[in-house]
């Protein structure tokens, strides 16, 4: 835990395309402060920033759009086919994202010492972030749902979707490490009720 005993820092994770973003929005509607790791990652790799320069040096200018922003699809095609490349990219991005997350959590605590801060982070366990949060929520979905969502959302083939799923820690292991588990395939209304109940349980007294 990196903040005071009053503030609750909760890691929200799961597998790719299990429904984390939907659940994060529900927590925000309940009054939680949500920090999105993907948004932080997009920010730290903006053109000209140190991480952007390191990524271009590592993977070449072929992963850039004409406006010099990173083509996530092109970069993903490289790193998700080779775990060494994926780890190389993570070493560039993860420390910078971690610093931003700590900064934002401290700002949230100053505004409200009794806040519930949800850190929406896909690689919570893989990056060792589980050691820096108070509680862990894992969002699950069956494999076929993950594949279907990835194919629709990212335009991936079935084999590409499976490759991305397999590059993460298996959901069975994440479930065992969770304090709470939410099923990201459930009816939205039922899921919203579960999120609201969990938010009340997480909210510190103050």
């Amino acid at each position: 835990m990196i903040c005071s005993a009053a503030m609750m820092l909760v890691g929200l994770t799961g597998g790719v395309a299990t429904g984390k973003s939907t659940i994060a929005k529900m927590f925000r509607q309940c009054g939680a402060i949500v920090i999105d790791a993907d948004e932080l990652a997009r920010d730290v790799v903006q053109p000209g920033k140190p991480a952007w320069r390191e990524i271009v040096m590592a993977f070449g200018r072929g992963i850039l759009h004409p406006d010099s922003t990173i083509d996530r699809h092109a970069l993903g095609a490289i790193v998700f086919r080779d775990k060494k490349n994926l780890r190389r990219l993570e070493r560039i991005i993860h420390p910078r994202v971690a610093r931003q997350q700590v900064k934002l959590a401290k700002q949230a605590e100053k505004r409200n010492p009794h806040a519930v801060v949800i850190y929406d982070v896909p690689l919570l366990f893989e990056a060792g972030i589980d050691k820096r949060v108070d509680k862990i929520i894992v969002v699950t979905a069956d494999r076929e749902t993950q594949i279907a969502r990835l194919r629709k959302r990212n335009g991936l083939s079935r084999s590409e979707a499976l490759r991305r799923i397999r590059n993460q820690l298996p959901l069975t292991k994440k479930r065992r490490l969770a304090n709470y588990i939410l099923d990201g395939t459930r009816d939205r209304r039922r899921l919203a009720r579960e999120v609201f109940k969990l938010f009340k349980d997480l909210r510190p007294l103050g």
Side-chain angles (χ1 to χ4, degrees):
M1 180 180 170
I2 61 165
C3 296
S4 75
M7 192 186 85
M8 180 67 68
L9 180 60
V10 183
L12 176 66
T13 193
V16 61
T18 55
K20 295 183 303 299
S21 296
T22 295
I23 287 172
K25 289 177 184 176
M26 291 177 178
F27 272 110
R28 184 179 280 116
Q29 290 167 354
C30 291
I33 296 166
V34 176
I35 300 173
D36 186 329
D38 284 342
E39 286 183 8
L40 298 184
R42 283 191 287 270
D43 181 64
V44 302
V45 300
Q46 288 299 308
K49 289 191 173 183
W52 178 89
R53 291 197 293 269
E54 286 190 43
I55 291 169
V56 173
M57 286 181 64
F59 302 104
R61 299 191 68 86
I63 52 93
L64 297 179
H65 288 296
D67 65 358
S68 293
T69 57
I70 290 175
D71 182 335
R72 291 165 66 91
H73 182 77
L75 182 57
I78 294 171
V79 301
F80 289 113
R81 292 180 183 275
D82 186 331
K83 287 192 175 182
K84 288 184 179 178
N85 282 332
L86 181 58
R87 300 298 169 256
R88 189 177 187 183
L89 178 65
E90 290 171 350
R91 285 195 297 271
I92 294 170
I93 294 176
H94 286 178
R96 293 176 169 93
V97 168
R99 288 194 290 271
Q100 284 296 102
Q101 179 265 312
V102 170
K103 179 182 176 182
L104 292 173
K106 287 181 177 179
Q107 289 174 354
E109 182 188 24
K110 284 184 179 179
R111 292 194 299 269
N112 179 5
H114 303 289
V116 173
V117 177
I118 303 291
Y119 187 28
D120 178 2
V121 52
L123 301 179
L124 181 133
F125 297 110
E126 295 89 336
I129 299 166
D130 54 307
K131 301 175 182 65
R132 299 195 283 110
V133 298
D134 299 302
K135 299 289 183 180
I136 296 169
I137 301 169
V138 169
V139 183
T140 66
D142 59 272
R143 177 64 59 86
E144 288 305 314
T145 295
Q146 287 181 275
I147 292 169
R149 287 174 175 176
L150 277 171
R151 297 189 70 179
K152 181 178 180 180
R153 186 184 74 189
N154 297 68
L156 303 179
S157 67
R158 182 179 178 86
S159 61
E160 287 172 328
L162 279 168
R163 190 177 295 118
R164 296 209 178 183
I165 292 168
R166 289 168 179 162
N167 268 315
Q168 294 186 345
L169 189 70
L171 272 172
T172 51
K173 291 186 178 180
K174 292 184 179 184
R175 288 173 62 95
R176 290 199 295 268
L177 297 168
N179 299 108
Y180 307 97
I181 297 170
L182 293 171
D183 184 345
T185 68
R186 280 189 177 155
D187 171 82
R188 288 287 183 94
R189 289 186 179 181
R190 180 179 175 185
L191 191 55
R193 289 195 297 270
E194 291 179 2
V195 168
F196 180 66
K197 181 179 182 300
L198 181 50
F199 173 74
K200 289 197 297 183
D201 291 342
L202 291 168
R203 191 165 48 197
L205 298 175

